[in-house]
Amino acid sequence: YRRMQGNISDVSTLRTTMKAMDFLGAKPVHFILDRGFYSEANLKNIAGKGQKFTIPVPSSLKWQKELIDKVRPSIRRPANIIRNPEDDKTFIYGVTDYKTESYGRTWRHVYFDPARKEQDIASLMLKLRKCEEELTGGNLAEKNRHLYETYFTVKETPKRGRKVSLDEAAVDAYINGYSGFWLFLTNAEKDASKAREHYNRRCDIEFT
């Protein structure tokens, strides 16, 4: 292990660590990285030195959404269940897609957590109920402006006054969207369950 300052950038951390690996002549290691490290340059650098990596994929990437859309219809199947080793009553689903990138062979593991999905939906519904009350009463909160504009239509008429309507299409788009899904990209582990286990174990050695 190596004690590090808490105020250095992710890119500098990775660069310094890889130089240390070279200096020590260490055997190939498996880097467990957070999203902040994700870039083509970083992954090419790691793989180019014969090292392994596992990293979550930023949700903004177009190819991630395309892959989720591809596996969404069939991910909830018996063969794809991954149970929580600490609680056999909770589970997620995981499937794997294989691809050869410019930096070599990779596995793209797609996960779906139905409980998290329902929690996210319920959280949004509670926020929208509060927003509807704010819009109806005219007591707006600046922090909720995006929710007002995305999910509501407000009309003012001389006779009926203010009418607040929920945008059902926008709500359906969120419900049918990407909440509850996430991806790991790795050149180290072809099994979705084991890749998730490796990533979760990073907390065992990470101090704050």
Side-chain angles (χ1 to χ4, degrees):
Y1 70 91
R2 179 157 60 98
R3 185 176 180 180
M4 306 187 72
Q5 296 179 354
N7 60 347
I8 57 178
S9 70
D10 289 342
V11 174
S12 297
T13 301
L14 180 59
R15 186 184 302 117
T16 302
T17 301
M18 293 195 69
K19 285 183 178 179
M21 295 294 101
D22 289 341
F23 177 78
L24 294 171
K27 295 180 180 179
V29 297
H30 184 181
F31 287 92
I32 308 296
L33 306 165
D34 285 330
R35 284 183 177 87
F37 291 96
Y38 186 92
S39 73
E40 287 286 314
N42 279 345
L43 300 184
K44 284 183 179 179
N45 192 21
I46 295 171
K49 292 183 179 299
Q51 310 287 17
K52 302 296 183 180
F53 64 81
T54 295
I55 187 169
V57 178
S59 59
S60 59
L61 294 182
K62 180 180 178 181
W63 71 260
Q64 176 186 245
K65 295 178 180 179
E66 291 174 345
L67 184 53
I68 291 173
D69 289 338
K70 174 185 174 181
V71 305
R72 185 196 301 269
S74 59
I75 194 169
R76 282 179 277 193
R77 296 293 186 272
N80 301 330
I81 289 180
I82 301 174
R83 291 196 174 275
N84 184 344
E86 299 178 358
D87 179 5
D88 62 6
K89 294 182 179 180
T90 61
F91 61 91
I92 63 172
Y93 296 94
V95 296
T96 301
D97 185 74
Y98 168 88
K99 187 177 181 181
T100 300
E101 304 281 1
S102 60
Y103 40 82
R105 178 180 57 185
T106 62
W107 292 276
R108 305 185 295 176
H109 301 301
V110 185
Y111 303 92
F112 175 65
D113 186 339
R116 174 177 159 188
K117 176 80 169 181
E118 290 305 317
Q119 290 172 356
D120 289 345
I121 292 173
S123 177
L124 178 65
M125 296 307 110
L126 289 171
K127 291 178 181 177
L128 294 185
R129 184 164 68 181
K130 178 64 174 177
C131 287
E132 187 170 11
E133 294 172 354
E134 293 170 350
L135 288 168
T136 301
N139 301 315
L140 306 187
E142 181 62 29
K143 66 178 181 179
N144 292 331
R145 179 176 296 277
H146 176 69
L147 294 175
Y148 301 150
E149 295 174 350
T150 303
Y151 294 101
F152 294 95
T153 300
V154 181
K155 294 182 178 180
E156 299 277 1
T157 62
K159 293 184 178 181
R160 298 182 180 180
R162 174 172 295 182
K163 182 180 179 181
V164 178
S165 301
L166 183 67
D167 187 333
E168 297 289 347
V171 173
D172 286 341
Y174 180 84
I175 292 174
N176 297 319
Y178 301 99
S179 173
F181 287 92
W182 72 96
L183 268 75
F184 287 161
L185 178 66
T186 179
N187 66 348
E189 181 52 65
K190 63 182 180 180
D191 183 273
S193 178
K194 290 181 180 179
R196 175 174 175 263
E197 180 183 348
H198 291 163
Y199 185 77
N200 288 344
R201 287 185 59 198
R202 79 195 188 285
C203 298
D204 295 343
I205 59 168
E206 186 175 25
F207 295 88
T208 57

